[in-house]
Amino acid sequence: MDADRLYHDPALADFYDLENGWERSPDFAFCRALVEGAASMLDLGCGTGELAIAVSGGRTVVAVDPAPAMLGIARAKAGAGGVEFVEGDARTLRLGRRFDLVVLTGHAFQVFLTQEDRRAALATIAAHLAPGGRFVFDSRNPACREWEEWGPDDSMRLLDHPRFGAVAAWNDVALDAGTGIVTYGTHYEIRATGERLSAASRIAFPEKAELEALIAEAGLRVERWLGDWEGHAWQEGAKEIIPLGTLA
């Protein structure tokens, strides 16, 4: 899995929090509520650390990401001292520790492009989950074909970046019908200078049936399948596939 410039290039990573609006994000709110009562949490694919820092008061929080640029932003934030940030790959990570809650949100699970990658990531979750602990992750439902809404016309937006000023942003997208892998480009054009920053990202859209089989194989058990981060049960046509579960 090649390093994605969107997260590994410091200039591009600098747009991450601006684009995501964490306090308005339903997965952010869901995980903040889920961690209540838990003494420890492992955040796989923590990005810029917003969730990890927000829940770190009074509990052990370890946050892992493969991108040094994202971790650099995370470590510079207020409250970051309450989190142990680790550079690592969720497919191979072995900390030798177990946690009450393991989360992998922000559709980070979709960066695992092959079934073997997904199997390895789920084994990592199982290896770090304490008895009675819970895990949660999200993946977009391929049946909804959400990538069809990611073209330049639908995605064009104007950002007010604190350092660059006005920035035009847009995406483009291509589906590999043979593999089901979607490649989407992210483009930022700084209005003051005309400089353009771009990255191409690849993500997979595994079917729910595959996830069911791989989760069971990893020694995990799903308590509830959710169709969104508001907590509604999964059903055909739901935009999200969100397993919430524990060790089998």
Side-chain angles (χ1 to χ4, degrees):
M1 194 163 61
D2 295 333
D4 187 337
R5 285 193 64 217
L6 192 61
Y7 311 112
H8 286 259
D9 184 323
L12 286 159
D14 201 27
F15 283 88
Y16 189 76
D17 286 336
L18 183 64
E19 290 269 57
N20 282 283
W22 297 112
E23 291 299 333
R24 303 186 304 276
S25 175
D27 59 341
F28 191 90
F30 185 97
C31 290
R32 288 191 71 165
L34 188 64
V35 77
E36 290 299 323
S40 59
M41 185 185 87
L42 174 62
D43 186 355
L44 296 172
C46 69
T48 59
E50 199 76 10
L51 174 63
I53 293 169
V55 304
S56 61
R59 62 177 58 86
T60 299
V61 177
V62 178
V64 180
D65 202 275
M70 302 291 272
L71 291 175
I73 295 171
R75 290 179 175 128
K77 290 183 174 180
V83 179
E84 180 183 347
F85 288 102
V86 176
E87 184 181 336
D89 187 321
R91 296 169 297 178
T92 57
L93 182 77
R94 291 296 183 273
L95 297 174
R97 301 158 66 182
R98 291 183 178 268
F99 299 83
D100 295 330
L101 178 64
V102 178
V103 302
L104 179 64
T105 59
H107 303 113
F109 190 81
Q110 291 183 248
V111 305
F112 304 121
L113 301 181
T114 69
Q115 191 173 95
E116 285 307 308
D117 287 340
R118 294 187 280 274
R119 179 176 284 114
L122 290 167
T124 294
I125 291 174
H128 293 89
L129 199 59
R134 306 175 88 187
F135 74 89
V136 69
F137 68 87
D138 56 352
S139 190
R140 298 176 183 89
N141 185 355
C144 293
R145 302 179 67 85
E146 187 177 324
W147 62 86
E148 293 180 348
E149 303 170 7
W150 298 350
D153 291 341
D154 292 323
S155 64
M156 184 65 68
R157 55 204 182 274
L158 187 64
L159 307 175
D160 183 13
H161 192 281
R163 187 157 55 89
F164 297 127
V167 178
W170 68 95
N171 301 97
D172 52 43
V173 65
L175 168 69
D176 183 327
T179 63
I181 291 173
V182 168
T183 300
Y184 67 93
T186 303
H187 309 280
Y188 299 110
E189 188 172 277
I190 302 168
R191 288 287 178 87
T193 65
E195 179 186 1
R196 183 176 297 183
L197 304 169
S198 296
S201 307
R202 302 172 70 214
I203 56 174
F205 287 74
E207 298 281 352
K208 181 172 179 283
E210 180 193 320
L211 297 179
E212 289 173 342
L214 291 177
I215 287 169
E217 182 183 320
L220 298 167
R221 175 175 58 85
V222 177
E223 298 171 321
R224 296 168 59 200
W225 287 96
L226 305 177
D228 56 42
W229 283 109
E230 283 74 26
H232 298 106
W234 190 88
Q235 58 184 347
E236 296 291 339
K239 286 192 172 184
E240 303 279 357
I241 304 172
I242 304 173
L244 173 62
T246 187
L247 289 168

